[in-house]
Amino acid sequence: MADLEYRPGLADVPVAESGISFIDGKRARLEYRGIAVETLAQESTFEETAWLLLKGELPNQRDLAVFDHNLRHHRRLKFRIIDLIKCLPESGHPMDALQAGVAASGMFYPGREVSNPEKNWESVVRLIAKLPTIIAAFHRLRQGNLPIEPRDDLSHAANFYYMLFEEEPSPSISRLLDACLILHAEHTMNASTFSGRVTASTLANPYTVVSSAIGTLTGPLHGGANEEVLDMLEEIGSVVKAKSWLEEAVESKKKIMGFGHRVYKVKDPRATVLQDLAENMFVETGKPEIYKLAVEIEKAALPILGPRGIYPNVDFYSGIIYQSLGISRDLFTPIFAIARVAGWLAHWLEQLKNNRIFRPEQIYIGKMDRPYLPLQNRP
Ligand code: CMC
């Protein structure tokens, strides 16, 4: 055992062979099944991208129509799930409500037998379809309003917006949200995906797999960073303070939220696309102060953090977009989950194809061969 090398955070340790997505962290390249994420954000829809991730190929017209139809058909929640969500504290975080809702849903669709591909596909469709409804229902209920029934005539992204605001989004907002979902749908072996794969490797049911992954996504070092970016920008307060705040933060070894990545040593390509989307959105409305401040922070960070390979990641600009759409801050990470469930499930199916239970090693650093002292003899 002495010859085992310990790599904190499993850095650079492959834990699976995967054909789902690829990152080149030096060239700012992210591909889903070989297709650049920028192209997908521009050309595709979330529904089509989800199919690509799950099946490995872009769907033909018929496959996409059936998949889209099935997603729309499965958006509704069992009334008992709504009742369960009603019982959750309104001050609780929507990610916790989502995790509880997903885990509880598994009891209605037991599917403990994961060797049946048809049943597995039904679970995939149900999970992708229902996550937005669970989040929107919790959000409405905590505001004292009744949940809004999903609408079958709207796309995945547009329907989510509708269930939050009881208002159809404009085509440009719908497209913007759709692009955000595409950009967040998959990202190789990140913490939540790994967590889901570990759970999958025990042959647990897919609802449990996804609820494990949701729990892992909540943390501020992972999906939770998008909320913290906004808190940080508000704390800085104004564009004029950007440079001095950043210098002081770096000096005091404070982590800049929305910056840094285990794999990217250049600006995250998703951050670049999100920033372009934000710029486009602000052409009509004018740039909000918070966006100007974020740009200023990025500029100030470039000469200090850039040489250390620390650049904006996906979370740096996403929250600014969601906030501009009037979306509550604590829904930013749930939106990440609505998208990432496609990637998690693609990894679940991939794990099942060639499964071996995860059982890594540890390096024991504790005491050994100690005598047992009876209670009355202990000091
Ligand atoms: N601000 C300042 N310094 C940083 C930052 C940052 N955001 N990120 C990394 N560093 C420094 C860190 O202090 C360390 O310095 P030193 O070598 O002097 O000790 C060095 O860079 C390596 O950092 P690390 O934390 O050991 O790197 P990691 O690969 O373990 O962690 C990370 C990656 C994303 C957790 C980290 O960059 C971070 O905490 N960033 C802020 C939180 C954040 O934005 N998370 C979202 C990640 S992207 C979306 C997602 O995965 O959900």
Side-chain angles (χ1 to χ4, degrees), residues 18-39:
S18 180
I20 301 169
S21 63
F22 167 78
I23 300 175
D24 182 337
K26 290 193 192 108
R27 290 194 309 130
R29 185 94 184 145
L30 168 61
E31 294 173 359
Y32 296 168
R33 300 283 189 186
I35 303 179
V37 76
E38 294 90 340
T39 310

Side-chain angles (χ1 to χ4, degrees), residues 84-340:
L84 179 139
I85 297 171
K86 278 184 195 156
C87 295
L88 299 173
E90 51 208 41
S91 58
H93 198 286
M95 281 298 276
D96 296 331
L98 180 64
Q99 190 182 29
V102 167
S105 296
M107 297 171 77
F108 292 93
Y109 312 105
R112 302 214 166 256
E113 180 52 66
V114 293
S115 58
N116 180 334
E118 272 171 38
K119 289 260 173 247
N120 287 353
W121 186 249
E122 279 173 20
S123 301
V124 163
V125 170
R126 281 206 177 96
L127 276 158
I128 297 176
K130 290 186 197 305
L131 257 66
T133 322
I134 295 174
I135 294 159
F138 176 73
H139 181 61
R140 297 282 303 177
L141 286 164
R142 71 178 171 172
Q143 292 177 322
N145 298 318
L146 282 172
I148 295 167
E149 284 283 302
R151 264 180 48 188
D152 292 351
D153 59 327
L154 296 176
S155 72
H156 201 67
N159 175 61
F160 175 60
Y161 184 97
Y162 171 74
M163 290 189 298
L164 286 183
F165 298 112
E166 206 170 9
E167 189 185 305
E168 237 182 89
S170 68
S172 60
I173 291 181
S174 172
R175 185 67 207 112
L176 176 67
L177 265 181
D178 200 31
C180 290
L181 294 183
I182 292 170
L183 290 169
H184 286 84
E186 160 61 10
H187 208 233
T188 74
M189 200 55 67
N190 55 87
S192 56
T193 299
F194 180 48
S195 168
R197 275 189 91 130
V198 171
T199 307
S201 80
T202 70
L203 304 184
N205 79 70
Y207 295 85
T208 309
V209 169
V210 171
S211 66
S212 294
I214 291 170
T216 309
L217 186 68
T218 57
L221 296 185
H222 194 7
N226 52 17
E227 273 186 53
E228 308 241 343
V229 169
L230 269 283
D231 294 343
M232 178 187 83
L233 294 173
E234 275 179 11
E235 182 201 316
I236 303 168
S238 86
V239 174
V240 288
K241 292 193 200 146
K243 193 161 179 285
S244 58
W245 183 91
L246 187 100
E247 285 168 359
E248 232 177 274
V250 174
E251 182 66 30
S252 58
K253 297 214 172 294
K254 195 172 171 160
K255 280 229 167 141
I256 317 301
M257 298 318 278
F259 270 72
H261 200 275
R262 175 68 60 79
V263 187
Y264 295 117
K265 298 305 160 202
V266 293
K267 185 168 173 176
D268 183 332
R270 301 167 299 170
T272 306
V273 179
L274 284 166
Q275 190 175 5
D276 288 348
L277 291 170
E279 289 271 350
N280 284 342
M281 175 168 68
F282 299 144
V283 167
E284 279 173 33
T285 56
K287 290 180 187 167
E289 283 308 304
I290 200 121
Y291 175 72
K292 292 184 196 160
L293 173 56
V295 171
E296 219 39 49
I297 289 287
E298 183 180 348
K299 252 194 232 163
L302 189 64
I304 313 173
L305 295 176
R308 293 167 58 195
I310 301 167
Y311 288 90
N313 61 48
V314 68
D315 289 325
F316 195 59
Y317 289 108
S318 61
I320 294 174
I321 293 180
Y322 301 144
Q323 179 158 290
S324 306
L325 297 180
I327 296 175
S328 307
R329 193 165 302 177
D330 60 4
L331 295 181
F332 298 173
T333 318
I335 296 176
F336 195 150
I338 289 177
R340 185 56 61 82

Side-chain angles (χ1 to χ4, degrees), residues 18-78:
S18 180
I20 301 169
S21 63
F22 167 78
I23 300 175
D24 182 337
K26 290 193 192 108
R27 290 194 309 130
R29 185 94 184 145
L30 168 61
E31 294 173 359
Y32 296 168
R33 300 283 189 186
I35 303 179
V37 76
E38 294 90 340
T39 310
L40 291 166
Q42 177 86 37
E43 306 286 341
S44 186
T45 60
F46 173 72
E47 291 85 334
E48 183 184 64
T49 298
W51 177 283
L52 171 71
L53 290 167
L54 291 156
K55 298 279 194 181
E57 298 295 336
L58 286 168
N60 61 29
Q61 279 184 13
R62 193 181 162 277
D63 286 341
L64 183 58
V66 172
F67 183 51
D68 190 20
H69 170 83
N70 288 340
L71 286 175
R72 289 170 196 238
H73 181 72
H74 285 289
R75 283 175 182 162
R76 274 159 195 78
L77 301 178
K78 301 267 185 199

